[in-house]
Amino acid sequence: MHPRITALLHESLGLSVWSMKKTVLITGCSTGFGLASAKHFAAQGWNVIATMRTPSPEQELVALPGVLVTRLDVQDRTSIDSALKVGVERFGGLDAVVNNAGFGLHGLFESTPREKILEQFEVNVFGVMDVIRAALPYFVQRGEGAIVNVSSGAGVFTLPMISLYCASKFALEGFSEALSYELTSQNVRVKLVEPGGVVDTHFVSRSAEEQSQNAVPPRYEAFVRATNEVFAKLRNDRAGATSEEVAKVIYEAATDTSDRLRYVATEGIKPLVKMRRETSEDAYLAFMRERFLAKPSPGQ
Ligand code: NAP
């Protein structure tokens, strides 16, 4: 039934519209997949607790019915608790959480300060754990729930110059898979969404900014130049996927009551994901070394 008709029916029966609809909390809604997901869930008739680090009255989500924009910084546990509290007070419960907030700490491992690595894990891994820990009591209250963790192709295969981002998304993948066994017993579904190469978000500019902050030792210069050429080619090969497409996959994962764990969200990364998952270790590594390892041209 169309969400609007359901709402009218509930209104005529004197039921609260908000409490009859499903409710999702999404992190990182200021831009990119989070923003697109908030709009998509709302369009499907869900209540949305659209969270972000710095809410502003101009944010386009503020005007959408059934959407509550509120502050949540995944590095600040008090803000996680209070976003859940105000959201549940407003909408009457919680059915799903989308852990989308994240960023890519790109650059050479050797050039990256330890504090930046801690920040990468705080946002991409520990923040997710803190949101889940805070959301679980609300799922227990409901008797069910769904958790969608936004991972990455970089949580399936690795590339040079993004080792720390890969490390964070591999950690997220391992955590989510193991957690899914535990939480199935509590009627809570855990899902992993794996996108890659979507350029209509702020991801690329943030990663470039992170990378630009660390000096490259001269002995890496030829390697970095050649690797950047490989990445530029990769980006051209993969152009096309949009945040809206990823938001639809996030929604599909949140509403899929099957025990499926992983959803590859963009076509461009499917060949590499298949290679990683369906070939032998030796064949896979030989393929990656041949295709992705930078080969400085002669004389460099
Ligand atoms: P984006 O436009 O940069 O969005 C990232 C969101 O995360 C922003 O809302 C950002 O908020 C938020 N965020 C960062 N640190 C936060 C913190 N401490 N607390 C709360 N929110 C925080 O990039 P995106 O592409 O949509 O990325 C969303 C997710 O998809 C990330 O987990 C990313 O790793 C993953 N992903 C993206 C791609 C891609 O191709 N774009 C591919 C694979 C995976 P601010 O505006 O305040 O910074």
Side-chain angles (χ1 to χ4, degrees), residues 76-242:
D76 169 3
R77 275 180 287 157
T78 313
S79 77
I80 297 174
D81 291 340
S82 66
L84 277 162
K85 188 165 177 290
V86 295
V88 169
E89 270 168 17
R90 165 84 174 269
F91 297 128
L94 184 73
D95 300 280
V97 160
V98 176
N99 285 301
N100 162 74
F103 74 97
L105 180 57
H106 290 190
L108 289 170
F109 167 72
E110 199 177 326
S111 312
T112 310
R114 189 168 189 276
E115 305 74 62
K116 290 303 299 184
I117 301 174
L118 292 179
E119 184 191 356
Q120 177 75 118
F121 275 78
E122 270 186 19
V123 176
N124 290 12
V125 184
F126 303 136
V128 172
M129 293 177 180
D130 287 335
V131 170
I132 293 173
R133 191 187 298 285
L136 279 174
Y138 296 104
F139 291 154
V140 170
Q141 234 168 51
R142 269 284 205 257
E144 63 177 336
I147 296 165
V148 180
N149 292 338
V150 179
S151 174
S152 170
V156 183
F157 49 81
T158 70
L159 294 167
M161 310 279 297
I162 59 167
S163 65
L164 299 161
Y165 181 58
C166 288
S168 73
K169 293 295 187 182
F170 267 62
L172 181 66
E173 290 262 340
F175 166 65
S176 305
E177 185 177 308
L179 184 71
S180 74
Y181 302 134
E182 293 179 20
L183 290 186
T184 299
S185 74
Q186 305 300 307
N187 211 18
V188 174
R189 285 168 277 121
V190 178
K191 307 284 184 175
L192 278 162
V193 169
E194 299 162 333
V198 185
V199 294
D200 69 357
T201 75
H202 289 197
F203 184 83
V204 173
S205 57
R206 169 96 194 250
S207 316
E209 186 197 315
E210 296 291 345
Q211 187 165 346
S212 70
Q213 286 173 18
N214 305 319
V216 174
R219 64 198 145 79
Y220 275 106
E221 271 168 14
F223 172 81
V224 169
R225 198 175 321 114
T227 304
N228 284 339
E229 278 166 25
V230 176
F231 282 170
K233 186 175 173 309
L234 262 184
R235 271 196 289 279
N236 288 342
D237 290 351
R238 283 200 200 140
T242 64

Side-chain angles (χ1 to χ4, degrees), residues 8-30:
L8 285 171
L9 253 176
H10 291 150
E11 269 173 277
S12 64
L13 293 170
L15 299 171
S16 156
V17 177
W18 301 135
S19 63
M20 298 309 294
K21 290 161 68 175
K22 292 210 171 220
T23 300
V24 61
L25 178 140
I26 308 173
T27 62
C29 290
S30 61

